[in-house]
Amino acid sequence: MLNLLKDNQNWVENVIAKLTAKMDAVSERSKTKIPYTTKNGKHDNQIETDINWWTNGFWGGMMWLMYHETGAPNYKEIANFTEDALDLCFHQFYGLHHDVGFMWLPTSVANYKVTGNSESRKRAMHAANLLAGRFNLAGGFIRAWNDDTASEDTRGWAIVDCMMNLPLLYWASEETKDPRYAQIAIKHADTALEAFIRPDGSVNHIVEFDPFHGGVVRTYGGQGYEEGSSWTRGQTWALYGFMMSYMHTGKQKYLQAAKRVAHYFMANIPDNGVIPIDFRQPKDPAYEDSTAAAIAACGLIEIAKAVGEYEKDVYVNAALKLLKTLDASYCDWTTDSDHLLMKGSAAYHHQDIHISIIYGDYYFMEAIFKLKGNDLFLW
Ligand code: GLY
């Protein structure tokens, strides 16, 4: 139990009232879409542009969170619509990579957990098998992406984001009582513990392994500023991802890993609570990423729930600082724009900087419901 102070409880209730009013309007407008971002305040639609896009599970996940909170049937209907739309990805197959966890945990696994829908279970099992099939036995890692060209050979590439896909494998083992899926997840997490987390608690984004013999070949800066830098969303994928491996396995080493990354992250939160794209980026331009703040808050809250009474406040207070900054300065609470969080950034060297991104909205919402103690844990 978090036992928030009364002021903080009131703040959470106030944010939930704003969320409910906002989502009531936005869900109706976007009920036949799978959004990634907004253009002029209106959601785009990945069903028309890129059905395989890795973020296509988050809108469905938001609908399940809202359904859990309000019980309003329209949220369930929209979630079902997005889940059906994702079936095309299975048919196309070649567009899928390790992010099948991000896509089918908040949609099919969520649906199955909430309603027991057997079709959803089948989809989620299919996705879990696709993820398991990406495991590299020699290197003990799950391959991230599919490129295999002369200019970009990713056969040996693993990325820290994959820690967030592992819960699909834990779920599959919990569901079937077949340990193979969890065995793969644990092996990947163990490899990531060694190869991604640096001694100071910061993490690499991309690690290339020798795909034939195993062993680290080199690291890449990936979506961060440069090799050796500290892409903030990558830090949060590790923070929350190792926490999830702890929650599913009970292994203390994953909790310790999540805490190490969390301590590094908290030590780097600026006084104003604004999270940059990379903790080691140049001061100017002052690029920001609101999505990293929201994801970090989710992980910090889970750490707070796992540690003892004497330790938890440091994590709760850091999460509150991040979320209150988002509420006050980054949330668009008007009901005529479709996005919630502003100033999300896809990557440091990318044109999609300071835009709204759907997973920012998703994790902000998840964090708020966690604080309320009414979290529908979709991972
Ligand atoms: N998983 C890709 C990203 O965080 O942008």
Side-chain angles (χ1 to χ4, degrees), residues 257-278:
K259 286 172 76 173
R260 234 167 88 205
V261 179
H263 296 165
Y264 166 82
F265 193 93
M266 290 189 293
N268 280 279
I269 299 175
D271 286 343
N272 63 7
V274 172
I275 302 301
I277 296 181
D278 192 311

Side-chain angles (χ1 to χ4, degrees), residues 54 99 102 159 161 223 231 233 237 346 359:
W54 74 276
D99 283 336
F102 278 119
I159 71 173
D161 322 29
Q223 285 163 251
W231 177 47
R233 195 162 61 252
W237 292 144
Y359 47 82

Side-chain angles (χ1 to χ4, degrees), residues 245-287:
S245 274
Y246 168 68
M247 292 161 81
H248 284 281
T249 66
K251 289 181 188 288
Q252 285 294 319
K253 62 182 169 183
Y254 300 145
L255 175 60
Q256 298 315 324
K259 286 172 76 173
R260 234 167 88 205
V261 179
H263 296 165
Y264 166 82
F265 193 93
M266 290 189 293
N268 280 279
I269 299 175
D271 286 343
N272 63 7
V274 172
I275 302 301
I277 296 181
D278 192 311
F279 282 132
R280 294 173 189 164
Q281 71 189 30
K283 289 219 170 341
D284 192 21
Y287 288 145

Side-chain angles (χ1 to χ4, degrees), residues 98-102 105 128 131-132 135 140-143 159-174 181-193 237-238 240-246 248-249 254 378-379:
H98 73 146
D99 283 336
V100 290
F102 278 119
L105 278 158
L131 185 56
F135 186 67
F141 66 91
I142 293 173
R143 180 178 174 180
I159 71 173
V160 72
D161 322 29
C162 191
M163 292 306 300
M164 300 292 286
N165 290 316
L166 301 186
L168 181 62
L169 298 174
Y170 293 127
W171 170 82
S173 274
E174 286 154 19
Y181 305 97
Q183 286 166 349
I184 289 173
I186 288 168
K187 188 66 199 162
H188 180 91
D190 287 348
T191 303
L193 199 57
W237 292 144
Y240 197 11
F242 275 105
M243 200 51 210
M244 287 176 185
S245 274
Y246 168 68
H248 284 281
T249 66
Y254 300 145
L378 300 184
W379 309 100

Side-chain angles (χ1 to χ4, degrees), residues 23-24 27-28 63 67 70-79:
M23 291 316 298
D24 198 29
S27 63
E28 179 56 28
M63 297 300 102
Y67 178 68
T70 66
N74 60 314
Y75 291 120
K76 187 163 79 168
E77 283 157 24
I78 300 168

